[in-house]
Amino acid sequence: AQKVTQAQTEISVVEKEDVTLDCVYETRDTTYYLFWYKQPPSGELVFLIRRNSFDEQNEISGRYSWNFQKSTSSFNFTITASQVVDSAVYFCALSTGNQFYFGTGTSLTVIP
Amino acid sequence: DSGVTQTPKHLITATGQRVTLRCSPRSGDLSVYWYQQSLDQGLQFLIQYYNGEERAKGNILERFSAQQFPDLHSELNLSSLELGDSALYFCASSQGGQNTEAFFGQGTRLTVV
């Protein structure tokens, strides 16, 4: 069965702190894709990153970085020097073939 | 602005009624996806169309149906509505299949009373 677990329901950090959002996935497929989406208070879902199962290179984009580890089935997301605008719900998602599975989301609040 | 347009933004209707949600994908995108986001179920994939044909089905109820038209816009039809169908319904589009980057619309907030 395919599953995405985001164990952290809510996280609060003070501005400029670093924060890591955890994502653990389950799949028996050897080919799959992992995603992170951001849902700000305005409600729309914003694509952040896509990673395929054959590419374990970590990725950095500005203050965002992603750590993909197949050995632990994790795809964690770190925000460095958090800002108030980072406050949102973050979803991790798994795509295998024709199905798409979202985690339950982590609500991040950055306190000024 | 993602380029995906959903109408209406808000919809209030009574139990037992039928509604149609509409989605216009980004220019050039062939795939359209529908998702339901509710407090108790989270974000659930409902169905995907690719160039007019159904490509994948998720947790879509039999009371719900969708289609994608030749101009690639899509409609999600919800019938015999129940209170539990109240949710935010998202449409997303992408150039290819599920493994490609999908862009989401702003959603339609459906309230069933």
Short mmCIF file of all heavy atoms in Angstrom, two decimals, chain A residues 31-33 35 37 39 42-47 50 91 95-104, chain B residues 2 35 37 42-45 48 55-59 88 90 98-106:
data_model
loop_
_atom_site.label_atom_id
_atom_site.label_comp_id
_atom_site.label_asym_id
_atom_site.label_seq_id
_atom_site.Cartn_x
_atom_site.Cartn_y
_atom_site.Cartn_z
N THR A 31 9.74 2.77 -9.02
CA THR A 31 9.72 4.08 -9.68
C THR A 31 8.58 4.90 -9.09
O THR A 31 7.43 4.49 -9.14
CB THR A 31 9.51 3.93 -11.20
OG1 THR A 31 10.55 3.14 -11.74
CG2 THR A 31 9.52 5.31 -11.86
N TYR A 32 8.92 6.02 -8.54
CA TYR A 32 7.91 6.88 -7.93
C TYR A 32 8.46 8.30 -7.88
O TYR A 32 9.64 8.54 -8.13
CB TYR A 32 7.52 6.40 -6.53
CG TYR A 32 8.68 6.17 -5.58
CD1 TYR A 32 9.17 7.20 -4.79
CD2 TYR A 32 9.29 4.92 -5.51
CE1 TYR A 32 10.24 7.00 -3.93
CE2 TYR A 32 10.36 4.71 -4.65
CZ TYR A 32 10.83 5.75 -3.86
OH TYR A 32 11.89 5.54 -3.02
N TYR A 33 7.57 9.23 -7.59
CA TYR A 33 7.94 10.63 -7.49
C TYR A 33 7.45 11.18 -6.16
O TYR A 33 6.39 10.81 -5.67
CB TYR A 33 7.34 11.45 -8.64
CG TYR A 33 8.00 11.19 -9.96
CD1 TYR A 33 7.74 10.01 -10.68
CD2 TYR A 33 8.92 12.09 -10.48
CE1 TYR A 33 8.36 9.76 -11.88
CE2 TYR A 33 9.54 11.83 -11.70
CZ TYR A 33 9.26 10.67 -12.39
OH TYR A 33 9.89 10.42 -13.58
N PHE A 35 6.82 14.83 -3.91
CA PHE A 35 6.56 16.26 -4.10
C PHE A 35 6.41 16.94 -2.74
O PHE A 35 6.04 16.32 -1.75
CB PHE A 35 5.23 16.48 -4.85
CG PHE A 35 5.17 15.86 -6.22
CD1 PHE A 35 4.95 14.51 -6.39
CD2 PHE A 35 5.27 16.67 -7.34
CE1 PHE A 35 4.86 13.94 -7.65
CE2 PHE A 35 5.18 16.11 -8.61
CZ PHE A 35 4.97 14.75 -8.76
N TYR A 37 4.30 20.50 -1.51
CA TYR A 37 3.45 21.62 -1.87
C TYR A 37 3.25 22.49 -0.64
O TYR A 37 3.22 22.01 0.49
CB TYR A 37 2.08 21.14 -2.36
CG TYR A 37 2.06 20.66 -3.79
CD1 TYR A 37 2.38 19.34 -4.10
CD2 TYR A 37 1.74 21.52 -4.82
CE1 TYR A 37 2.36 18.90 -5.42
CE2 TYR A 37 1.71 21.08 -6.15
CZ TYR A 37 2.03 19.78 -6.43
OH TYR A 37 2.02 19.34 -7.74
N GLN A 39 0.61 25.31 1.11
CA GLN A 39 -0.73 25.89 1.07
C GLN A 39 -0.78 27.07 2.04
O GLN A 39 -0.96 26.89 3.24
CB GLN A 39 -1.79 24.85 1.43
CG GLN A 39 -3.22 25.36 1.23
CD GLN A 39 -4.27 24.28 1.46
OE1 GLN A 39 -4.12 23.44 2.34
NE2 GLN A 39 -5.35 24.32 0.68
N SER A 42 -4.16 31.78 2.06
CA SER A 42 -5.06 32.12 0.96
C SER A 42 -5.68 30.88 0.33
O SER A 42 -6.69 30.97 -0.38
CB SER A 42 -4.32 32.93 -0.10
OG SER A 42 -3.13 32.27 -0.47
N GLY A 43 -5.11 29.70 0.57
CA GLY A 43 -5.77 28.46 0.19
C GLY A 43 -5.24 27.72 -1.02
O GLY A 43 -5.46 26.52 -1.14
N GLU A 44 -4.55 28.40 -1.93
CA GLU A 44 -4.11 27.68 -3.13
C GLU A 44 -2.91 26.79 -2.80
O GLU A 44 -2.20 27.02 -1.83
CB GLU A 44 -3.76 28.66 -4.25
CG GLU A 44 -2.42 29.38 -4.10
CD GLU A 44 -2.51 30.60 -3.23
OE1 GLU A 44 -3.48 30.75 -2.47
OE2 GLU A 44 -1.57 31.42 -3.30
N LEU A 45 -2.70 25.77 -3.57
CA LEU A 45 -1.56 24.87 -3.39
C LEU A 45 -0.45 25.29 -4.36
O LEU A 45 -0.67 25.39 -5.56
CB LEU A 45 -1.97 23.43 -3.66
CG LEU A 45 -2.70 22.76 -2.52
CD1 LEU A 45 -3.56 21.63 -3.00
CD2 LEU A 45 -1.69 22.24 -1.49
N VAL A 46 0.74 25.48 -3.79
CA VAL A 46 1.86 25.94 -4.59
C VAL A 46 2.91 24.85 -4.65
O VAL A 46 3.37 24.36 -3.62
CB VAL A 46 2.47 27.23 -3.98
CG1 VAL A 46 3.68 27.68 -4.79
CG2 VAL A 46 1.43 28.32 -3.89
N PHE A 47 3.30 24.48 -5.87
CA PHE A 47 4.31 23.45 -6.07
C PHE A 47 5.67 23.97 -5.60
O PHE A 47 6.06 25.09 -5.89
CB PHE A 47 4.36 23.11 -7.56
CG PHE A 47 5.54 22.27 -7.97
CD1 PHE A 47 5.50 20.90 -7.84
CD2 PHE A 47 6.68 22.86 -8.50
CE1 PHE A 47 6.59 20.13 -8.23
CE2 PHE A 47 7.76 22.10 -8.89
CZ PHE A 47 7.72 20.73 -8.75
N ARG A 50 9.75 18.51 -7.01
CA ARG A 50 9.48 17.14 -7.42
C ARG A 50 10.81 16.39 -7.48
O ARG A 50 11.80 16.92 -7.96
CB ARG A 50 8.83 17.11 -8.81
CG ARG A 50 8.58 15.71 -9.34
CD ARG A 50 8.18 15.76 -10.79
NE ARG A 50 9.28 16.23 -11.62
CZ ARG A 50 9.20 16.38 -12.93
NH1 ARG A 50 8.08 16.14 -13.56
NH2 ARG A 50 10.22 16.82 -13.62
N PHE A 91 2.50 20.20 2.44
CA PHE A 91 2.11 18.83 2.14
C PHE A 91 3.22 18.11 1.39
O PHE A 91 3.79 18.64 0.44
CB PHE A 91 0.85 18.80 1.27
CG PHE A 91 -0.39 19.26 1.96
CD1 PHE A 91 -0.81 20.58 1.89
CD2 PHE A 91 -1.15 18.36 2.69
CE1 PHE A 91 -1.96 21.00 2.54
CE2 PHE A 91 -2.31 18.78 3.34
CZ PHE A 91 -2.71 20.09 3.27
N SER A 95 3.70 10.03 -5.79
CA SER A 95 3.03 9.63 -7.02
C SER A 95 3.64 8.33 -7.52
O SER A 95 4.85 8.22 -7.68
CB SER A 95 3.19 10.71 -8.08
OG SER A 95 2.71 10.24 -9.33
N THR A 96 2.76 7.35 -7.72
CA THR A 96 3.21 6.08 -8.28
C THR A 96 2.27 5.74 -9.43
O THR A 96 1.07 5.61 -9.22
CB THR A 96 3.15 4.94 -7.25
OG1 THR A 96 1.79 4.74 -6.85
CG2 THR A 96 3.98 5.24 -6.03
N GLY A 97 2.80 5.64 -10.63
CA GLY A 97 1.94 5.34 -11.75
C GLY A 97 0.85 6.37 -11.88
O GLY A 97 1.12 7.54 -12.06
N ASN A 98 -0.37 5.94 -11.74
CA ASN A 98 -1.49 6.84 -11.95
C ASN A 98 -2.17 7.30 -10.67
O ASN A 98 -3.26 7.83 -10.69
CB ASN A 98 -2.54 6.17 -12.85
CG ASN A 98 -2.04 6.07 -14.27
OD1 ASN A 98 -1.32 6.94 -14.74
ND2 ASN A 98 -2.40 5.00 -14.94
N GLN A 99 -1.53 7.07 -9.54
CA GLN A 99 -2.15 7.49 -8.29
C GLN A 99 -1.29 8.51 -7.57
O GLN A 99 -0.07 8.53 -7.69
CB GLN A 99 -2.37 6.27 -7.37
CG GLN A 99 -3.39 5.29 -7.90
CD GLN A 99 -4.79 5.85 -7.93
OE1 GLN A 99 -5.17 6.68 -7.11
NE2 GLN A 99 -5.59 5.43 -8.90
N PHE A 100 -1.96 9.34 -6.83
CA PHE A 100 -1.29 10.44 -6.13
C PHE A 100 -1.76 10.41 -4.69
O PHE A 100 -2.96 10.36 -4.42
CB PHE A 100 -1.70 11.75 -6.80
CG PHE A 100 -0.65 12.81 -6.76
CD1 PHE A 100 0.32 12.85 -7.74
CD2 PHE A 100 -0.63 13.76 -5.77
CE1 PHE A 100 1.30 13.83 -7.73
CE2 PHE A 100 0.35 14.74 -5.75
CZ PHE A 100 1.32 14.79 -6.73
N TYR A 101 -0.81 10.45 -3.74
CA TYR A 101 -1.15 10.36 -2.32
C TYR A 101 -0.52 11.52 -1.57
O TYR A 101 0.68 11.75 -1.66
CB TYR A 101 -0.62 9.04 -1.73
CG TYR A 101 -1.06 7.83 -2.50
CD1 TYR A 101 -0.31 7.37 -3.57
CD2 TYR A 101 -2.23 7.15 -2.16
CE1 TYR A 101 -0.71 6.26 -4.29
CE2 TYR A 101 -2.64 6.03 -2.88
CZ TYR A 101 -1.88 5.60 -3.94
OH TYR A 101 -2.28 4.51 -4.66
N PHE A 102 -1.36 12.24 -0.83
CA PHE A 102 -0.87 13.36 -0.03
C PHE A 102 -0.77 12.95 1.43
O PHE A 102 -1.57 12.14 1.93
CB PHE A 102 -1.85 14.53 -0.11
CG PHE A 102 -1.66 15.41 -1.32
CD1 PHE A 102 -2.35 15.14 -2.49
CD2 PHE A 102 -0.82 16.50 -1.27
CE1 PHE A 102 -2.18 15.95 -3.60
CE2 PHE A 102 -0.65 17.32 -2.37
CZ PHE A 102 -1.33 17.04 -3.54
N GLY A 103 0.19 13.52 2.12
CA GLY A 103 0.23 13.41 3.58
C GLY A 103 -0.82 14.34 4.17
O GLY A 103 -1.50 15.07 3.44
N THR A 104 -0.95 14.29 5.46
CA THR A 104 -1.98 15.09 6.14
C THR A 104 -1.56 16.53 6.36
O THR A 104 -2.34 17.34 6.83
CB THR A 104 -2.35 14.46 7.48
OG1 THR A 104 -1.15 14.18 8.21
CG2 THR A 104 -3.12 13.16 7.28
N SER B 2 -1.52 30.67 -10.81
CA SER B 2 -1.05 29.41 -11.40
C SER B 2 -1.45 29.27 -12.85
O SER B 2 -0.88 28.45 -13.57
CB SER B 2 -1.61 28.24 -10.58
OG SER B 2 -3.03 28.17 -10.74
N TYR B 35 -9.21 17.16 -6.92
CA TYR B 35 -8.91 16.77 -5.55
C TYR B 35 -9.98 17.33 -4.62
O TYR B 35 -10.55 18.38 -4.88
CB TYR B 35 -7.56 17.33 -5.09
CG TYR B 35 -6.37 16.77 -5.80
CD1 TYR B 35 -5.92 17.31 -7.00
CD2 TYR B 35 -5.67 15.69 -5.26
CE1 TYR B 35 -4.82 16.78 -7.65
CE2 TYR B 35 -4.56 15.16 -5.90
CZ TYR B 35 -4.15 15.71 -7.10
OH TYR B 35 -3.04 15.19 -7.73
N GLN B 37 -10.47 18.43 -0.58
CA GLN B 37 -9.79 18.67 0.68
C GLN B 37 -10.83 18.94 1.76
O GLN B 37 -11.56 19.92 1.72
CB GLN B 37 -8.83 19.86 0.59
CG GLN B 37 -8.00 20.04 1.86
CD GLN B 37 -7.00 21.17 1.75
OE1 GLN B 37 -7.21 22.15 1.06
NE2 GLN B 37 -5.87 21.01 2.42
N GLY B 42 -8.56 15.04 4.76
CA GLY B 42 -7.35 15.61 4.19
C GLY B 42 -7.51 15.85 2.70
O GLY B 42 -8.61 16.06 2.20
N LEU B 43 -6.38 15.80 1.99
CA LEU B 43 -6.38 16.07 0.55
C LEU B 43 -6.43 14.73 -0.18
O LEU B 43 -5.52 13.92 -0.11
CB LEU B 43 -5.10 16.83 0.21
CG LEU B 43 -5.05 17.62 -1.07
CD1 LEU B 43 -6.19 18.61 -1.15
CD2 LEU B 43 -3.73 18.37 -1.15
N GLN B 44 -7.52 14.51 -0.91
CA GLN B 44 -7.74 13.24 -1.57
C GLN B 44 -7.80 13.42 -3.08
O GLN B 44 -8.53 14.28 -3.58
CB GLN B 44 -9.08 12.64 -1.11
CG GLN B 44 -9.18 12.40 0.38
CD GLN B 44 -8.77 11.01 0.75
OE1 GLN B 44 -8.95 10.08 -0.01
NE2 GLN B 44 -8.18 10.87 1.94
N PHE B 45 -7.09 12.57 -3.77
CA PHE B 45 -7.14 12.57 -5.23
C PHE B 45 -8.44 11.93 -5.68
O PHE B 45 -8.81 10.85 -5.22
CB PHE B 45 -5.93 11.79 -5.77
CG PHE B 45 -6.04 11.42 -7.22
CD1 PHE B 45 -6.05 12.38 -8.21
CD2 PHE B 45 -6.11 10.09 -7.60
CE1 PHE B 45 -6.14 12.04 -9.55
CE2 PHE B 45 -6.19 9.73 -8.93
CZ PHE B 45 -6.21 10.70 -9.91
N GLN B 48 -8.34 11.83 -12.67
CA GLN B 48 -7.48 12.52 -13.63
C GLN B 48 -7.97 12.27 -15.06
O GLN B 48 -8.37 11.15 -15.40
CB GLN B 48 -6.04 12.02 -13.53
CG GLN B 48 -5.10 12.66 -14.56
CD GLN B 48 -3.88 11.83 -14.89
OE1 GLN B 48 -3.63 10.79 -14.30
NE2 GLN B 48 -3.08 12.31 -15.83
N ARG B 55 -7.85 8.96 -17.09
CA ARG B 55 -6.54 8.32 -16.97
C ARG B 55 -6.38 7.58 -15.65
O ARG B 55 -5.77 6.52 -15.60
CB ARG B 55 -5.45 9.38 -17.12
CG ARG B 55 -4.03 8.89 -16.97
CD ARG B 55 -3.64 7.88 -18.05
NE ARG B 55 -3.58 8.43 -19.37
CZ ARG B 55 -2.49 8.97 -19.91
NH1 ARG B 55 -1.39 9.10 -19.21
NH2 ARG B 55 -2.50 9.42 -21.16
N ALA B 56 -6.91 8.14 -14.59
CA ALA B 56 -6.75 7.51 -13.28
C ALA B 56 -7.90 7.89 -12.37
O ALA B 56 -8.47 8.98 -12.50
CB ALA B 56 -5.43 7.93 -12.63
N LYS B 57 -8.26 6.96 -11.49
CA LYS B 57 -9.33 7.21 -10.54
C LYS B 57 -8.80 7.02 -9.14
O LYS B 57 -8.10 6.05 -8.85
CB LYS B 57 -10.47 6.22 -10.79
CG LYS B 57 -11.73 6.84 -11.29
CD LYS B 57 -12.81 5.80 -11.47
CE LYS B 57 -14.08 6.48 -11.96
NZ LYS B 57 -15.14 5.54 -12.24
N GLY B 58 -9.18 7.91 -8.27
CA GLY B 58 -8.81 7.79 -6.87
C GLY B 58 -10.04 7.49 -6.05
O GLY B 58 -10.87 6.67 -6.39
N ASN B 59 -10.18 8.22 -4.95
CA ASN B 59 -11.31 7.99 -4.04
C ASN B 59 -12.55 8.77 -4.44
O ASN B 59 -13.10 9.54 -3.67
CB ASN B 59 -10.90 8.41 -2.62
CG ASN B 59 -9.73 7.58 -2.12
OD1 ASN B 59 -9.66 6.40 -2.35
ND2 ASN B 59 -8.81 8.24 -1.43
N LEU B 88 -13.31 21.69 0.15
CA LEU B 88 -12.65 22.52 -0.86
C LEU B 88 -12.26 21.59 -2.00
O LEU B 88 -11.60 20.57 -1.77
CB LEU B 88 -11.42 23.18 -0.24
CG LEU B 88 -10.68 24.27 -0.99
CD1 LEU B 88 -11.60 25.39 -1.42
CD2 LEU B 88 -9.55 24.81 -0.13
N PHE B 90 -10.28 21.13 -5.43
CA PHE B 90 -9.22 21.70 -6.23
C PHE B 90 -9.15 21.03 -7.59
O PHE B 90 -9.33 19.82 -7.72
CB PHE B 90 -7.85 21.50 -5.57
CG PHE B 90 -7.57 22.40 -4.43
CD1 PHE B 90 -7.59 21.93 -3.13
CD2 PHE B 90 -7.26 23.74 -4.65
CE1 PHE B 90 -7.31 22.76 -2.06
CE2 PHE B 90 -6.98 24.58 -3.59
CZ PHE B 90 -7.01 24.09 -2.29
N GLN B 98 0.81 11.98 -13.92
CA GLN B 98 0.86 12.26 -12.48
C GLN B 98 2.27 12.63 -12.01
O GLN B 98 2.42 13.22 -10.96
CB GLN B 98 0.40 11.02 -11.70
CG GLN B 98 -1.05 10.69 -11.84
CD GLN B 98 -1.89 11.35 -10.74
OE1 GLN B 98 -1.49 12.34 -10.14
NE2 GLN B 98 -3.04 10.80 -10.47
N ASN B 99 3.27 12.23 -12.75
CA ASN B 99 4.63 12.47 -12.29
C ASN B 99 5.18 13.82 -12.69
O ASN B 99 6.33 14.13 -12.40
CB ASN B 99 5.55 11.36 -12.80
CG ASN B 99 5.14 10.01 -12.25
OD1 ASN B 99 4.70 9.92 -11.10
ND2 ASN B 99 5.25 8.98 -13.05
N THR B 100 4.38 14.59 -13.37
CA THR B 100 4.84 15.91 -13.77
C THR B 100 4.31 16.97 -12.81
O THR B 100 3.34 16.75 -12.09
CB THR B 100 4.40 16.25 -15.20
OG1 THR B 100 2.98 16.11 -15.30
CG2 THR B 100 5.05 15.31 -16.19
N GLU B 101 4.96 18.09 -12.83
CA GLU B 101 4.60 19.19 -11.95
C GLU B 101 3.18 19.64 -12.23
O GLU B 101 2.83 19.93 -13.36
CB GLU B 101 5.57 20.34 -12.18
CG GLU B 101 5.30 21.59 -11.41
CD GLU B 101 6.29 22.68 -11.79
OE1 GLU B 101 7.31 22.33 -12.40
OE2 GLU B 101 6.01 23.85 -11.51
N ALA B 102 2.36 19.67 -11.19
CA ALA B 102 0.97 20.07 -11.35
C ALA B 102 0.75 21.44 -10.74
O ALA B 102 1.29 21.76 -9.69
CB ALA B 102 0.04 19.05 -10.70
N PHE B 103 -0.05 22.24 -11.41
CA PHE B 103 -0.39 23.58 -10.94
C PHE B 103 -1.85 23.58 -10.51
O PHE B 103 -2.71 23.11 -11.25
CB PHE B 103 -0.15 24.60 -12.05
CG PHE B 103 1.30 24.74 -12.41
CD1 PHE B 103 1.88 23.88 -13.33
CD2 PHE B 103 2.07 25.71 -11.81
CE1 PHE B 103 3.23 23.98 -13.65
CE2 PHE B 103 3.42 25.83 -12.13
CZ PHE B 103 4.00 24.96 -13.05
N PHE B 104 -2.09 24.12 -9.33
CA PHE B 104 -3.42 24.06 -8.74
C PHE B 104 -4.18 25.37 -8.92
O PHE B 104 -3.59 26.46 -8.88
CB PHE B 104 -3.31 23.76 -7.24
CG PHE B 104 -3.05 22.32 -6.93
CD1 PHE B 104 -1.80 21.76 -7.14
CD2 PHE B 104 -4.07 21.52 -6.43
CE1 PHE B 104 -1.56 20.43 -6.86
CE2 PHE B 104 -3.84 20.18 -6.14
CZ PHE B 104 -2.58 19.64 -6.36
N GLY B 105 -5.48 25.24 -9.07
CA GLY B 105 -6.36 26.39 -9.05
C GLY B 105 -6.61 26.81 -7.61
O GLY B 105 -6.10 26.19 -6.67
N GLN B 106 -7.40 27.86 -7.44
CA GLN B 106 -7.65 28.39 -6.10
C GLN B 106 -8.71 27.61 -5.36
O GLN B 106 -8.93 27.83 -4.17
CB GLN B 106 -8.08 29.86 -6.22
CG GLN B 106 -7.02 30.72 -6.86
CD GLN B 106 -6.66 31.92 -6.01
OE1 GLN B 106 -7.40 32.30 -5.14
NE2 GLN B 106 -5.52 32.51 -6.28
#
